[in-house]
Amino acid sequence: MAHLGDGDLPGYEEIGERLTEEFGGVHAPETVSRCVAAARHGAHEVTGAASPDLVERIARKHLQVLATVAAEKLRQETRTTLGNAP
């Protein structure tokens, strides 16, 4: 996953590849890359370090939240389109 920009940091490219595969039907690779980069930055800011394991856990949670929000938005749009708005 070359567009991560973390090729010089061992472990981060693999994180992007794993999460891109895991969320392939849900998120574009660019979204995964942004989540990994944000998780790495956030972990470093908060703890002073950004181990690959911590970054992967944070990025996965971010992607899960984004998927939940997208599903809820789609559900609401579908209800509105069908005339079933609450």
Side-chain angles (χ1 to χ4, degrees), residues 31-46:
T31 301
V32 174
S33 293
R34 285 191 302 270
C35 282
V36 171
R40 186 172 62 91
H41 178 76
H44 193 269
E45 287 290 315
V46 172

Side-chain angles (χ1 to χ4, degrees), residues 44-83:
H44 193 269
E45 287 290 315
V46 172
T47 67
S51 71
D53 181 57
L54 178 60
V55 169
E56 184 169 354
R57 286 185 287 138
I58 293 169
R60 181 174 283 109
K61 290 291 184 185
H62 286 178
L63 292 163
Q64 289 168 342
V65 168
L66 290 174
T68 300
V69 170
E72 179 61 22
K73 185 176 180 180
L74 179 61
R75 185 186 70 78
Q76 289 176 355
E77 289 172 358
T78 301
R79 290 183 84 180
T80 301
T81 302
L82 296 174

Side-chain angles (χ1 to χ4, degrees), residues 1-9 12-18 20 29-30 32-34 36-37 40:
M1 184 169 233
H3 57 280
L4 265 179
D6 292 326
D8 58 333
L9 299 171
Y12 295 103
E13 188 171 313
E14 291 83 8
I15 292 168
E17 291 170 357
R18 276 194 301 274
T20 295
E30 294 78 20
V32 174
S33 293
R34 285 191 302 270
V36 171
R40 186 172 62 91

